[in-house]
Amino acid sequence: THTNMHAQTQTPSVTPSRLFTEVARTRMRQTGFGDKYKSFFNTLRIVYLEEGVRGLYGGLGTHLFRTVPNSAVMFATYELVCHVARNW
């Protein structure tokens, strides 16, 4: 029998909360800003106030440039394995 393997696989997704987490984490790790960024929500607030909504999406292009090819290769590999398994 053929099992639905699509439900068992997970690919990285780009969600606003994940991007905001990365922005806050990166800002908090920057050297020389220890006094400015005190906590996660404080960091998001400062970024929003100083840079607006665009600041919260900083690094989106780089993130997509890294994750989209990876997801494409994973999906193609998965489809190839399913095709080979069905025809075996």
Side-chain angles (χ1 to χ4, degrees):
T1 62
H2 174 69
T3 60
N4 185 358
M5 296 176 82
H6 287 283
Q8 298 171 1
T9 60
Q10 293 181 359
T11 58
S13 62
V14 178
T15 61
S17 62
R18 186 171 181 172
L19 288 173
F20 299 162
T21 302
E22 289 297 315
V23 168
R25 186 175 64 94
T26 301
R27 298 292 176 99
M28 292 172 72
R29 285 194 318 194
Q30 287 178 335
T31 57
F33 291 100
D35 295 333
K36 185 175 183 179
Y37 303 122
K38 298 180 187 323
S39 69
F40 175 78
F41 291 110
N42 177 327
T43 302
L44 291 180
R45 184 178 151 276
I46 291 171
V47 170
Y48 177 75
L49 292 174
E50 291 182 354
E51 302 175 35
V53 174
R54 292 186 81 182
L56 296 174
Y57 288 93
L60 175 62
T62 305
H63 181 73
L64 291 176
F65 189 71
R66 184 177 61 235
T67 58
V68 169
N70 180 48
S71 296
V73 169
M74 285 176 35
F75 183 73
T77 303
Y78 170 78
E79 290 295 324
L80 179 64
V81 168
C82 287
H83 177 72
V84 170
R86 270 186 245 123
N87 293 325
W88 187 346

